[in-house]
Amino acid sequence: MQLNDLYKDIILDHYQSPHNRGRPPQADIEAEGSNPLCGDEVEIYVLLDGERLQEVRFDGVGCAISLAAASMMSEVLEGKSKEEVGNIGELFKAMMHGEDVILPEEMEDLESLKGVAKFPLRVKCALLPWTTLEHGLANEDAGHRVSIEVD
Amino acid sequence: MESGVSDEIGFDVHAVRQDFPILGTQVHGKPLVYLDSAATSQKPQAIIDSLVDYYTRYNANVHRGIYTLSEQATAAYENARTKIARFINAPSPECIIFTRNTTEAINLVRYTWGTENVRSDDEILISEMEHHSNLVPWQLLAQEQGAELRFLRVNNEGRLMLDGLDVLITEKTRLVAVTHVSNVLGTINPVKGIIKKAHKYGALVLLDAAQSVPHMPVDVQELDCDFLAFSGHKMMGPTGVGVLYAKPHLLEAMPPFMGGGSMIRQVMLTESTWADVPQKFEAGTPNIADVIALGAAVDYLNDLGMANVREHEIQITQYALDQMREVSGIKLFGPWEIQIRAGVVSFVLDGVHPHDIAQILDSEAVAVRAGHHCCQPLMRRFNVPATARASFYAYTTEEEIDALVEGIHKAQRVFGHAIERSV
Ligand SMILES: Cc1ncc(COP(=O)(O)O)c(C=O)c1O
C-alpha cells in the first residue's frame, strides 16, 4: 500500500493551489459533471478560439484527486486543438486504466496521476473533469450549460 | 455461553473480540481497525458456524417436506422467528416477517399497507435525517397516490425539531416514518413521544430500527410502534435477511406483498386465497440458512446483554468524542449528550476531503466510511458534500479510537506542509 503513489507533492500542490480555478465572466462551453455517489462536482468552462481551446477553467467541490486532475487538465489543454484534446484525453484514460502510455514531455504533471490507477476506487475521481469536458465538447451546439452524472 | 461476559465485570471487550475471527486479521500488514459497523457489523464465529452447520447437517426446504431434514430445517427456521420476536418483545412470532433487509421491509409496508391506506390528499410525515431507504419508498407512494410528503427538520445539533410536530401532524396524516437512530448523526430520536402524538391523530408509525435494534434494548410493545424494520447484517448476523415487525391486526388486514409459492392457501386458475400470517408475506423459498444464523446472532447478543452492549457503546462513544474534539480543524456532527447518542461519529476536516481522509486511514488499516451515507438531504442540510464516519460496536476498543485519531493526524500531515510530509 503506497500512499505516496496517490498523494504526490505535485497533486497536493494542484489541490491546494489550483490553477485556472473559478468561473470566467463568459465561456463558449459550460459543462458540469457530478458523481452523486461521492458528492464530487466539477464545472468546466472553455473559451474557444476557432478549433482551439483558448482557455480552460474549472470550479467545484471534490477530493484532492478530482480537483488536482481538473487543475492539471486545465493547464495542459490550454491552446490545444479539439483534435489534440481528444488524443490527450484518450491517453489519459488509458493511463488511468493502468496502461503504460507515453505522455508528451510538457505534461509531466499529468504523469503524476499515474499512481491513481493502482487505486481502482479513485480512478473515477481523476476521470471526472475529463469526462465532463468531453461531454461539454460533444454538446458544443447546446448553447447552454450541459451536465453529466458519472459513477 | 460465549466468552466476553462475566457477572462481575459486565463486559470484557477484549474477550468479546476473541469471538470475531476477522478482528484478528491484518490489512497492509497492520491489525485491522474496523470502524464501519453502521454499514455492516462483523460476525462472531458462532454465526459462521451456524451457516456451516445448516449446510452440512440439515439443508432442506422448509414447510414442505415430510421427512426428517425438512422438519429440522423448518423447526430451526421457525425457532429463529421466535427468538427474534422475543428479542424485540413482539407479542407473538407471527408478527415477524422475514425480508432481505431493512429496505425491503419498508418497501413491503409501502406496497401493502401503503397502497391500501394512503389516498390522495393524505399526508406522510418523515424527517430530514432519513436514510434513503426510509425516504424514497414514501416519495414513490406519495407520487403514486397524490399524497403529500412532510418533513420534520433537524437542528444544528442534529436533533429533530419536535416543536414542529403539532403543526406537521394533522388529521390527514396516515403515517409517520422516522428513524429510531440516525446512521449519520448518531442521534437517538425520542420516538416514544412521536408515536404517542401520531396515535392521537390516528396516524400509524413506522420506525426504521436499522441502527437501534443492533445496539440497544428495543421493546416494540413499550414503544407501541406499528411497524419496525431492521437488518440482520448490522446485528452480527449474515447479509440477506431483514425483519419487518408489525402489529398483528395490521398484518391480518394487509394484502400480500409478492405472489407465489408458500404464501397461498388455495390456488385456482384465476384466483387464490392467502396463507396465514406470516407466510402470507413470505413468498417463495426463504433465506433459510441466513434466517437461522440471524437466530444465532440474537442468541449471541442476548448472551452479551443488550444493556451491556449499549453501556459499552456509551463509554466508547464518549471516549471517541473526547479524543476527536481535540483535533484542530475538525468538525463533529450530532448531539453531545451521550444519553441520546449512539456509536456513530461523522466528521469533516479543514482542507482534507472525506474521501482523502478515508484513503489515508485505510493505509493505517483503519476502515471508516466516507460519502453521503445514503442521506443526501441531510448532507445538504449541513452544507457538506460528504462526511467521514466512524461507527462502533460491542467489539470496539479505546485503542482503536486512538488509531483513528492517529490516522486523522496523519491525514493532516499528508495534506500539511511539504516539509512535514512523512508518509
Ligand atoms: C438508518 C438506516 N436505515 C436503513 C438502512 C438500510 O439497510 P439495508 O441496506 O440493510 O436495507 C441503513 C443501512 O445502511 C440505515 O443505517
Side-chain angles (χ1 to χ4, degrees):
Chain A
M1 171 76 189
Q2 288 297 348
L3 211 48
N4 278 327
D5 287 340
L6 198 57
Y7 298 112
K8 292 192 189 314
D9 287 359
I10 307 178
I11 294 178
L12 293 172
D13 287 345
H14 273 276
Y15 173 60
Q16 285 162 344
S17 320
H19 304 204
N20 303 313
R21 180 161 188 175
R23 182 181 189 155
Q26 65 160 85
D28 297 304
I29 293 174
E30 290 191 22
E32 60 186 31
S34 62
N35 183 336
L37 290 182
C38 64
D40 283 3
E41 285 173 8
V42 304
E43 297 150 32
I44 306 289
Y45 303 94
V46 181
L47 225 71
L48 287 172
D49 175 13
E51 274 301 289
R52 286 193 182 274
L53 279 61
Q54 191 186 330
E55 197 180 342
V56 181
R57 300 190 63 83
F58 81 99
D59 212 342
V61 288
C63 65
I65 305 303
S66 58
L67 293 189
S71 170
M72 292 174 188
M73 180 185 86
S74 72
E75 255 189 347
V76 299
L77 296 187
E78 193 171 309
K80 295 282 186 290
S81 72
K82 286 181 194 163
E83 192 185 339
E84 287 169 315
V85 167
N87 292 339
I88 299 167
E90 287 310 310
L91 274 179
F92 185 72
K93 271 188 234 167
M95 186 173 92
M96 283 302 102
H97 293 125
E99 288 172 42
D100 227 353
V101 300
I102 297 164
L103 292 169
E105 227 172 84
E106 77 270 16
M107 297 188 186
E108 56 191 25
D109 280 15
L110 269 195
E111 181 109 23
S112 70
L113 286 166
K114 198 172 192 164
V116 176
K118 293 183 200 157
F119 299 81
L121 291 172
R122 305 306 294 277
V123 167
K124 62 174 174 20
C125 311
L127 289 177
L128 180 62
W130 292 84
T131 313
T132 308
L133 172 73
E134 216 171 55
H135 187 67
L137 287 170
N139 293 283
E140 197 189 323
D141 304 332
H144 55 80
R145 178 186 281 244
V146 294
S147 57
I148 184 171
E149 281 187 6
V150 301
D151 55 41
Chain B
M1 168 84 192
E2 306 292 334
S3 58
V5 183
S6 93
D7 294 339
E8 301 290 293
I9 50 165
F11 202 91
D12 176 358
V13 63
H14 293 283
V16 170
R17 291 176 70 82
Q18 297 302 315
D19 297 332
F20 292 76
I22 207 169
L23 297 179
T25 60
Q26 301 204 327
V27 175
H28 315 308
K30 295 168 187 167
L32 169 66
V33 176
Y34 185 75
L35 300 178
D36 196 19
S37 289
T40 198
S41 69
Q42 295 303 347
K43 324 298 176 198
Q45 188 64 48
I47 274 64
I48 301 165
D49 289 346
S50 163
L51 291 168
V52 172
D53 190 43
Y54 168 74
Y55 286 119
T56 37
R57 286 202 313 110
Y58 60 101
N59 172 47
N61 212 326
V62 289
H63 301 137
R64 293 180 194 180
I66 314 196
Y67 53 89
T68 308
L69 285 195
S70 176
E71 277 166 10
Q72 279 180 332
T74 306
Y77 181 81
E78 290 304 328
N79 190 26
R81 197 190 302 277
T82 304
K83 287 177 188 175
I84 290 156
R86 281 198 199 117
F87 189 62
I88 57 169
N89 196 29
S92 76
E94 288 75 35
C95 313
I96 301 297
I97 312 294
F98 290 118
T99 63
R100 278 191 306 137
N101 46 36
T102 305
T103 306
E104 191 177 80
I106 295 171
N107 277 277
L108 190 159
V109 178
R110 179 239 144 144
Y111 280 105
T112 59
W113 180 86
T115 37
E116 289 224 326
N117 291 281
V118 176
R119 300 261 171 264
S120 81
D121 291 333
D122 284 347
E123 294 165 6
I124 302 169
L125 178 62
I126 66 171
S127 88
E128 223 176 1
M129 66 164 76
E130 297 312 311
H131 188 282
H132 296 163
S133 70
N134 197 31
L135 164 57
V136 180
W138 308 123
Q139 287 177 345
L140 290 168
L141 181 66
Q143 282 160 17
E144 185 183 275
Q145 307 289 70
E148 188 191 339
L149 207 52
R150 297 184 144 204
F151 299 92
L152 274 167
R153 302 290 169 187
V154 173
N155 71 11
N156 287 339
E157 204 200 338
R159 298 162 80 147
L160 290 178
M161 293 162 75
L162 290 175
D163 33 345
L165 208 53
D166 278 319
V167 193
L168 287 165
I169 300 190
T170 72
E171 259 80 44
K172 290 179 172 182
T173 311
R174 291 280 88 84
L175 180 73
V176 179
V178 285
T179 194
H180 194 178
V181 170
S182 161
N183 64 310
V184 174
L185 305 163
T187 319
I188 303 174
N189 289 319
V191 289
K192 214 173 157 182
I194 298 175
I195 291 166
K196 263 216 179 93
K197 178 137 288 173
H199 284 169
K200 228 188 250 164
Y201 284 87
L204 300 192
V205 179
L206 178 143
L207 289 186
D208 174 350
Q211 300 294 347
S212 62
V213 165
H215 299 280
M216 58 195 68
V218 171
D219 180 332
V220 290
Q221 296 192 69
E222 204 233 340
L223 290 171
D224 199 27
C225 55
D226 301 286
F227 304 102
L228 178 118
F230 56 98
S231 295
H233 69 93
K234 294 185 198 282
M235 53 189 286
M236 306 191 179
T239 52
V241 52
V243 172
L244 173 69
Y245 156 81
K247 284 182 177 165
H249 72 276
L250 293 171
L251 289 173
E252 289 299 334
M254 278 152 59
F257 178 35
M258 292 191 272
S262 302
M263 53 76 70
I264 42 77
R265 182 182 308 284
Q266 252 192 43
V267 178
M268 268 73 70
L269 276 179
T270 54
E271 57 182 19
S272 304
T273 54
W274 315 132
D276 287 339
V277 173
Q279 268 72 38
K280 180 166 88 177
F281 298 102
E282 293 180 4
T285 299
N287 189 347
I288 306 165
D290 292 317
V291 164
I292 295 170
L294 179 57
V298 164
D299 289 341
Y300 184 86
L301 287 168
N302 279 331
D303 283 348
L304 293 182
M306 289 311 292
N308 293 330
V309 169
R310 171 67 187 141
E311 190 50 43
H312 174 74
E313 288 183 27
I314 283 179
Q315 284 174 23
I316 209 75
T317 307
Q318 186 67 64
Y319 183 78
L321 290 172
D322 289 345
Q323 300 302 306
M324 291 169 81
R325 77 208 297 181
E326 297 299 320
V327 176
S328 68
I330 201 168
K331 180 173 191 298
L332 305 178
F333 297 85
W336 286 103
E337 201 185 314
I338 204 71
Q339 294 309 325
I340 58 156
R341 175 81 189 225
V344 175
V345 182
S346 283
F347 63 99
V348 291
L349 281 182
D350 286 345
V352 193
H353 190 276
H355 281 173
D356 296 313
I357 299 173
Q359 186 88 56
I360 292 165
L361 287 172
D362 177 62
S363 73
E364 295 296 318
V366 177
V368 301
R369 187 82 178 270
H372 55 59
H373 317 291
C374 299
C375 289
Q376 290 181 6
L378 191 63
M379 296 293 116
R380 261 173 238 125
R381 158 68 183 81
F382 282 98
N383 247 318
V384 287
T387 70
R389 179 189 75 185
S391 55
F392 319 130
Y393 210 170
Y395 41 70
T396 308
T397 65
E398 291 188 358
E399 291 80 5
E400 289 183 304
I401 305 295
D402 295 340
L404 167 68
V405 172
E406 246 330 286
I408 294 173
H409 285 306
K410 178 175 175 184
Q412 291 184 315
R413 278 199 304 279
V414 171
F415 277 75
H417 301 294
I419 334 124
E420 287 173 23
R421 256 171 231 155
S422 53
V423 203

